[in-house]
Amino acid sequence: MKRAQIKSRPLKDTVLNSLEPEEKEYRELDGNGLYFRVKPNGNKSWQLRFKNAEGKWAWRGLGPYPTINGAAAREKAFEMQKALSNGEMLYTQEELKIQALESNNALFSQLMSDWLNSKEPNWDADTFKKEKQSIEKHLIPVFGEREYLKITSQEWFEFFQTMQRELQIYNRIEKLTSYCRNAYDLAKFQGKINFNPLDGINKFLDKGESDNMKHVSIEDLPLLINTIRTYPSRTVAIGLELLALLFPRPQELRYATWDQFDFDKKIWIRPSSIMKRGIAHAIPLSNQAIVLLKELETFKTPSNLLFPGRGSLIEPISDNTFNQALNRLGYKGKQHPHGFRHIASTALNNKYSDKEQVVESTLAHLKKGVKGVYDKGAHYEERVGMMQWWADEIDRMTNTP
């Protein structure tokens, strides 16, 4: 029946049973603050309207119909109104839900703690420590005390996109989004949630430059280095090994000029004009890098470029030269010149897990506001040791005397 046909209240059972849904949900007064709610899908339930502790009107669900019939609903409403008149607190369904969530440790910090506990048996101690520190540094201060069910997809997207654009730490953010998504998935399979707010987030975040750059694993790097050393063009082989040792962007090495290098100070200063962020940046030169550069110097032409193009003094080698060399060595689809940055990043982050921003600076992922190559924000002195460690590590892996 239509609700316009209701003629008396309290509502009779025949009325409750036959009330038809409408395009929008509606409530019909039964009496004494008790309402009968009808949703567009036909679901029916009881609600009590009351004034909360702040004197504002609020709703408290009493249960679905016909599980709760008219007589039972009126009895429950009477008991609640009696409790209210005696000064007892009555909570809304939303307030009760929050209380239940809190009692079940539904804070985001607990969600991540549960997930980390599930990963600890499968990760080595150093990895676990590093990733736990990263979560505690980037995520917990912002979301730790929030109920994870209430953190929206929009909030997650805006948070990670802002981090990307301000810090330029794409690889780290890729890991953090993965960890959050997996933590929510764990809660989903435990029956705590039905929806993961981070599903599909990586489709819409900015793409870091190394995302699609192929690279071999750290375990396969020694074979790659030794294979590079056999390449027939010695200058190209030196260039590839310098990409592994110094891990610049390939364009930065192709456009490098001899006047940017100071062997006495063991430094390569790259001008702002060739840098992605438009900030001059220095690379400390390891002993091994200087040996290679001095060998490359024996092939020097009248050009100031380290790698001049064929028949040119002002144009460098093609942007495909290094890639073609790797293809000819059998690494097509396995290793891209840019991929050496990813390999080095992984190794340095594993070794220096407590110096994440120093590693990012080593990769020239400089924060906004860094003024120059020796600015303290560039962490230059700390990077000297990092670069030498990485060169020594490559020697160790390749059994180089």
Side-chain angles (χ1 to χ4, degrees):
M1 65 178 290
K2 306 292 184 183
R3 59 174 173 159
Q5 297 175 288
I6 297 174
K7 297 181 178 178
S8 63
R9 303 171 198 278
L11 303 174
K12 297 180 180 179
D13 287 339
T14 54
V15 173
L16 298 173
N17 188 56
S18 60
L19 271 177
E20 298 175 2
E22 297 178 358
E23 185 177 347
K24 296 182 179 180
E25 76 168 54
Y26 63 88
R27 296 182 180 92
E28 281 296 326
L29 177 65
D30 181 83
N32 297 321
L34 178 63
Y35 285 78
F36 189 68
R37 182 171 66 168
V38 182
K39 291 188 174 182
N41 61 6
N43 288 343
K44 301 174 180 179
S45 60
W46 295 97
Q47 287 188 315
L48 178 67
R49 190 170 186 242
F50 68 100
K51 282 191 175 182
N52 60 22
E54 299 175 354
K56 297 180 180 179
W57 286 108
W59 295 96
R60 170 67 183 271
L62 303 184
Y65 175 87
T67 303
I68 305 295
N69 61 23
R74 293 177 192 110
E75 183 176 351
K76 290 181 70 173
F78 175 78
E79 292 298 326
M80 289 182 178
Q81 289 168 333
K82 182 178 178 182
L84 280 169
S85 64
N86 291 332
E88 296 181 23
M89 188 72 70
L90 185 62
Y91 297 99
T92 65
Q93 291 297 107
E94 181 64 20
E95 289 169 339
L96 291 173
K97 182 180 178 182
I98 290 173
Q99 291 175 6
L101 286 172
E102 291 175 343
S103 66
N104 290 326
N105 296 316
L107 299 179
F108 178 77
S109 58
Q110 187 62 48
L111 176 75
M112 293 310 299
S113 178
D114 291 343
W115 179 77
L116 279 169
N117 288 339
S118 75
K119 301 301 293 183
E120 188 170 11
N122 304 313
W123 284 354
D124 62 66
D126 288 342
T127 299
F128 181 82
K129 178 182 177 182
K130 173 197 168 187
E131 302 309 325
K132 185 173 184 290
Q133 287 176 340
S134 181
I135 289 169
E136 290 173 347
K137 174 183 177 181
H138 295 293
L139 301 176
I140 299 305
V142 181
F143 298 107
E145 296 305 309
R146 295 276 305 278
E147 293 171 21
Y148 60 82
L149 282 172
K150 290 189 175 181
I151 307 173
T152 66
S153 299
Q154 181 181 357
E155 285 181 274
W156 280 121
F157 177 75
E158 291 176 352
F159 170 74
F160 283 121
Q161 186 182 69
T162 299
M163 277 187 67
Q164 281 185 326
R165 295 180 178 179
E166 289 186 356
L167 300 181
Q168 297 288 305
I169 51 173
Y170 294 99
N171 292 337
R172 173 52 40 188
I173 290 173
E174 183 179 354
K175 288 185 177 182
L176 290 173
T177 56
S178 173
Y179 295 163
C180 290
R181 188 173 61 251
N182 290 338
Y184 274 97
D185 276 345
L186 177 62
K188 182 167 65 176
F189 286 112
Q190 290 174 337
K192 297 177 181 178
I193 60 173
N194 296 318
F195 169 72
N196 190 331
L198 286 104
D199 279 344
I201 190 171
N202 288 327
K203 296 178 183 177
F204 306 103
L205 289 172
D206 296 342
K207 301 301 179 185
E209 60 186 354
S210 62
D211 284 356
N212 298 317
M213 301 306 182
K214 300 293 185 180
H215 59 89
V216 300
S217 67
I218 192 73
E219 292 78 14
D220 292 329
L221 181 61
L223 177 60
L224 171 58
I225 297 295
N226 286 321
T227 303
I228 286 171
R229 291 170 178 170
T230 69
Y231 193 67
S233 170
R234 184 56 189 153
T235 57
V236 173
I238 291 173
L240 288 172
E241 195 163 352
L242 286 172
L243 286 174
L245 279 172
L246 304 177
F247 43 91
R249 297 176 180 89
Q251 175 176 304
E252 295 162 8
L253 185 62
R254 289 194 305 110
Y255 280 90
T257 55
W258 287 108
D259 59 307
Q260 296 168 6
F261 292 82
D262 188 324
F263 293 156
D264 292 331
K265 294 182 178 178
K266 302 173 69 172
I267 191 171
W268 170 21
I269 299 179
R270 297 174 293 176
S272 59
S273 59
I274 68 170
M275 298 301 295
K276 180 180 178 182
R277 298 280 290 170
I279 302 172
H281 186 254
I283 294 183
L285 297 175
S286 62
N287 297 328
Q288 294 88 332
I290 289 177
V291 169
L292 285 172
L293 286 164
K294 286 186 175 180
E295 182 184 354
L296 181 64
E297 197 173 23
T298 65
F299 296 94
K300 189 176 185 304
T301 72
S303 172
N304 192 33
L305 291 161
L306 272 66
F307 298 96
R310 185 175 300 177
S312 175
L313 296 179
I314 59 174
E315 289 297 325
I317 56 176
S318 156
D319 61 0
N320 203 34
T321 300
F322 292 136
N323 197 40
Q324 285 296 329
L326 288 168
N327 291 347
R328 292 181 184 129
L329 288 170
Y331 284 87
K332 185 175 183 178
K334 299 177 183 178
Q335 178 69 37
H336 189 280
H338 205 297
F340 289 108
R341 287 173 60 77
H342 191 106
I343 297 172
S345 173
T346 301
L348 290 171
N349 274 297
N350 286 337
K351 174 65 176 178
Y352 299 98
S353 59
D354 59 337
K355 296 183 178 181
E356 180 179 311
Q357 194 54 54
V358 183
V359 174
E360 292 301 317
S361 185
T362 303
L363 292 159
H365 292 163
L366 300 179
K367 289 183 178 181
K368 294 178 181 178
V370 173
K371 298 175 183 178
V373 293
Y374 295 112
D375 188 88
K376 65 180 180 180
H379 305 284
Y380 180 78
E381 295 300 327
E382 292 176 275
R383 292 193 284 115
V384 172
M386 282 190 179
M387 296 301 288
Q388 188 58 54
W389 173 83
W390 176 232
D392 292 342
E393 181 68 4
I394 289 178
D395 278 356
R396 184 192 66 77
M397 290 188 292
T398 56
N399 295 315
T400 302

